[in-house]
Amino acid sequence: MTAGRRAEVTANGVATALLAGAWRRREMVRRVAVALGYARAPRWVGTLVGEVLEAYRHPPADRPRELALFVRTTGGWARGTASGPPPRVVRWAPVPTAVVRPRLPGPQLADLDDLARLLDLDQGELAWFADARGLERTAPETLRHYRWQAVDRPAGVRLLAAPKPRLKEIQRRLLRHVLDPVPVHGAAHGCVPGRSVRTAAAPHAGAAVVLRMDLEHFFGSVPAPRVHGLLLGLAGLPEPVAHAVTGLVTTVLPAAVWRRVPLPGDVAARERHRRLGARLAVPHLPQGAPTSPALANLVCFRLDRRLAALAARFGATYTRYVDDLTFGGAPRVGRGRLAELVGEVAREEGFRVNAAKTRAISSARRQDVLGVVVNEHPALPRRERDALRALLHNCATRGWASQLRGRDPATFREHVLGRVAWAASVDPASGARLRELADRIDWS
């Protein structure tokens, strides 16, 4: 075993021991000493545990690999390995506390055979789609599991990764059977059954100030080790199953795709571009996979809990719709301190607030949340509502074909009715009136 591999194994063993019981110094020191074969814990173990407790007030049960990486950066670890290679793990503590491995509804996946049966795969296919050999970054396009697309945005480029049909079906099964049964925080509204843009916007109706914030590179900010820890802890999957599922729901940006993305000219944009490339160069949640929103919501559980408590301290209400954070409340919400604290919490949870998109909007102006006006009650912006009403009126009186304006006739009806459905989901009263207009259209 190489020195690097031995250090990795030892750090993993220390992290496992730390998480395998009460999060108190004395018990943690004892568990680490037992794992490393010491009858009495040397001083450096106590130093290491002290540094861990200083960095993590609560056990990072959903991030054991992150904890293992942190262990190797501590001064205690440096002292313990100063005179030679790290000690070997002689006794693992694989049985975690109930907090780490709760039993939740869903299939009991005891091993990889159970997982393969759930996904209708054989073991070879399971290893291939989980990218067990790490080929995705260098494989040619025909062998990749995702189709990548770069979309230009005002603040930079966005890279979408659409899973190919077979992997997409695998991810849908995982979403339905493994992820959906796990509850998310009440503040999460994006891609959550029974919740919507309206449920995310409605709590802020009538607020004196609405503070809007955005998390930068949201899905790319959730690395594979964090997903793995989540599946081990919150979803209660055994280590081999959690590792395979992590491979099925995360990916890495192929080097050839990144080379084709043009470098922006602006200095600030180049820095954002560099950060994006660094995040996507390691396995992460792909933006475009059906499992990514659900996993991101679960990963954000502690972020949501902390921000909800922070909002309550300011007399505000907090909701999150994917990467959009919204706080509504008294005038003090917009005075800067709350936004500063939100940024600190986000950084501690592994995310970064996009300062350029932070907005504090008073009730004297149009308060827009996720495209919904919330000054009094959730409603469409007046211009959008009036334009849709005019379109429906013209379709009913002049014929729908007169309103195509370059749109595809085969999909125009779905386009119009989809806009009406969106309006009704935001404001049921206004939507009912628009539906009456839509019912007058002769689509024949």
Side-chain angles (χ1 to χ4, degrees):
M1 183 183 295
T2 65
R5 176 57 180 162
R6 180 169 173 175
E8 179 183 350
V9 170
T10 300
N12 287 340
V14 170
T16 301
L18 290 170
L19 292 171
W23 198 249
R24 292 189 293 269
R25 179 186 177 89
R26 183 175 179 179
E27 290 89 336
M28 293 164 70
V29 169
R30 179 59 182 163
R31 291 197 301 272
V32 173
V34 170
L36 299 180
Y38 294 117
R40 182 177 180 181
R43 184 171 297 177
W44 68 266
V45 171
T47 302
L48 184 152
V49 170
E51 292 176 80
V52 168
L53 286 171
E54 184 176 348
Y56 295 93
R57 293 180 58 190
H58 306 286
D62 62 335
R63 292 169 287 161
R65 293 191 181 187
E66 176 189 310
L67 178 60
L69 291 173
F70 176 78
V71 162
R72 296 175 66 178
T73 67
T74 62
W77 175 274
R79 293 181 188 179
T81 59
S83 59
R88 293 182 182 275
V89 178
V90 299
R91 179 178 174 185
W92 288 77
V95 181
T97 64
V99 173
V100 181
R101 292 281 296 278
R103 293 183 64 83
L104 293 165
Q108 300 305 311
L109 303 175
D111 52 34
L112 292 178
D113 287 337
D114 287 347
L115 178 63
R117 279 192 293 271
L118 175 68
L119 303 178
D120 195 22
L121 302 171
D122 60 37
Q123 290 296 331
E125 291 173 323
L126 180 60
W128 167 250
F129 285 111
D131 194 25
R133 297 177 60 190
L135 302 176
E136 191 75 6
R137 183 163 175 79
T138 57
E141 198 283 329
T142 54
L143 297 180
R144 294 178 199 152
H145 297 313
Y146 294 84
R147 295 187 177 93
W148 289 83
Q149 179 185 3
V151 178
D152 290 328
R153 304 284 292 178
V157 69
R158 174 174 292 176
L159 287 159
L160 304 180
K164 293 180 179 179
R166 188 88 186 278
L167 178 58
K168 190 173 186 178
E169 174 57 27
I170 291 170
Q171 292 174 342
R172 282 175 172 163
R173 291 193 183 195
L174 289 171
L175 177 64
R176 185 165 59 249
H177 296 290
V178 178
L179 302 178
D180 277 350
V182 185
V184 301
H185 194 276
H189 292 261
C191 305
V192 178
R195 304 179 197 175
S196 63
V197 168
R198 177 181 172 82
T199 64
H204 309 294
V209 173
V210 169
L211 174 65
R212 295 182 349 209
M213 305 181 75
D214 178 86
L215 297 178
E216 184 177 273
H217 309 318
F218 180 60
F219 291 108
S221 299
V222 183
R226 192 160 186 183
V227 174
H228 180 266
L230 171 80
L231 295 171
L232 277 175
L234 194 58
L237 299 181
E239 166 65 30
V241 177
H243 186 73
V245 172
T246 300
L248 293 169
V249 298
T250 61
T251 191
V252 64
L253 176 66
V257 173
W258 185 242
R259 284 195 295 266
R260 293 198 298 267
V261 177
L263 188 67
D266 179 71
V267 174
R270 284 195 177 194
E271 176 59 21
R272 289 193 298 271
H273 185 84
R274 183 197 64 78
R275 289 200 300 268
L276 175 62
R279 288 185 183 276
L280 302 188
V282 298
H284 61 277
L285 289 182
Q287 184 168 353
T291 46
S292 292
L295 283 164
N297 281 336
L298 294 173
V299 165
C300 286
F301 189 95
R302 192 169 69 176
L303 171 72
D304 291 335
R305 184 176 60 188
R306 294 181 66 184
L307 292 184
L310 179 62
R313 283 173 49 193
F314 282 77
T317 302
Y318 160 70
T319 61
R320 179 180 58 81
Y321 194 93
V322 191
D323 58 349
D324 291 298
L325 315 179
T326 308
F327 301 82
R332 64 187 297 218
V333 169
R335 291 176 186 157
R337 181 56 177 163
L338 175 58
E340 180 184 341
L341 292 173
V342 170
E344 292 179 8
V345 171
R347 281 193 296 274
E348 291 174 5
E349 295 297 328
F351 297 96
R352 183 187 181 97
V353 169
N354 187 342
K357 292 187 177 182
T358 298
R359 296 284 186 276
I361 312 170
S362 74
S363 57
R365 299 160 54 200
R366 191 182 81 175
Q367 294 173 321
D368 184 290
V369 176
L370 302 169
V372 177
V373 177
V374 296
N375 289 71
E376 297 179 1
H377 61 85
L380 287 182
R382 183 183 299 274
R383 180 177 296 181
E384 183 178 343
R385 185 178 66 246
D386 291 347
L388 179 54
R389 184 184 294 114
L391 173 63
L392 295 172
H393 174 77
N394 291 337
C395 285
T397 58
R398 303 178 187 176
W400 64 269
S402 66
Q403 304 299 307
L404 286 173
R405 298 178 184 176
R407 297 189 183 92
D408 183 0
T411 60
F412 182 69
R413 181 173 185 268
E414 287 73 16
H415 165 75
V416 173
L417 296 182
R419 290 177 62 183
V420 173
W422 159 249
S425 71
V426 171
D427 185 350
S430 175
R433 293 191 291 270
L434 293 171
R435 279 202 174 102
E436 290 178 3
L437 288 174
D439 291 339
R440 293 165 48 193
I441 300 174
D442 182 2
W443 295 104
S444 59

